[in-house]
Amino acid sequence: VEELAPERDLSRTPLFQVMFILQNAWEETWEFVGLDTELRAPNETAATFDLVMSLQESGNGLSAQLMYSTDLFEAPTMERLAGHFENLLTSVVADPTASLTDLDMLSDTEKHQLVVEWNDTA
């Protein structure tokens, strides 16, 4: 960052604004003589970056947390984004050998809207 010397905007980080995290390490507890420990999730109430999606793998599957800047994104937009990601994962699970171009991200309703409703050239 120093070498490139970009014009700084203190409202955002200089390298990236979006983060994707996959926590796929099993939770551990540590044992120390005379000391009790427990694992706690961080209490995050504000987005550190413009958009952060964090997935936690467990024996039951994946759980996700989506944090975003409400100055930049509206809740319905983030709900659609989460739905698209869920559709993509469902598509991958249905056919793990499918090529990337064959995976579905949009719902059937969205596909119909794009292909039929918004593409009515008559």
Side-chain angles (χ1 to χ4, degrees), residues 25-30 36-42 56:
W26 295 102
E27 296 179 358
E28 294 182 24
T29 56
W30 296 289
D36 295 328
T37 63
E38 67 180 279
L39 186 61
R40 289 188 166 197
Q56 177 72 43

Side-chain angles (χ1 to χ4, degrees), residues 47-62:
T48 309
F49 301 100
D50 293 351
L51 177 63
V52 177
M53 178 174 271
S54 176
L55 300 177
Q56 177 72 43
E57 184 179 4
S58 69
N60 299 330
L62 292 174

Side-chain angles (χ1 to χ4, degrees), residues 85-100 103-104:
F85 188 67
E86 183 178 4
N87 292 341
L88 185 63
L89 292 179
T90 301
S91 187
V92 168
V93 169
D95 186 1
T97 62
S99 75
L100 190 57
L103 298 176
D104 286 325

Side-chain angles (χ1 to χ4, degrees), residues 7 12 22 31 36 43 47 58 60 67 90 96 102-103 110:
E7 187 174 321
R12 53 182 61 243
L22 173 60
E31 295 182 19
D36 295 328
N43 185 11
S58 69
N60 299 330
M67 295 181 66
T90 301
D102 294 330
L103 298 176
E110 289 172 314

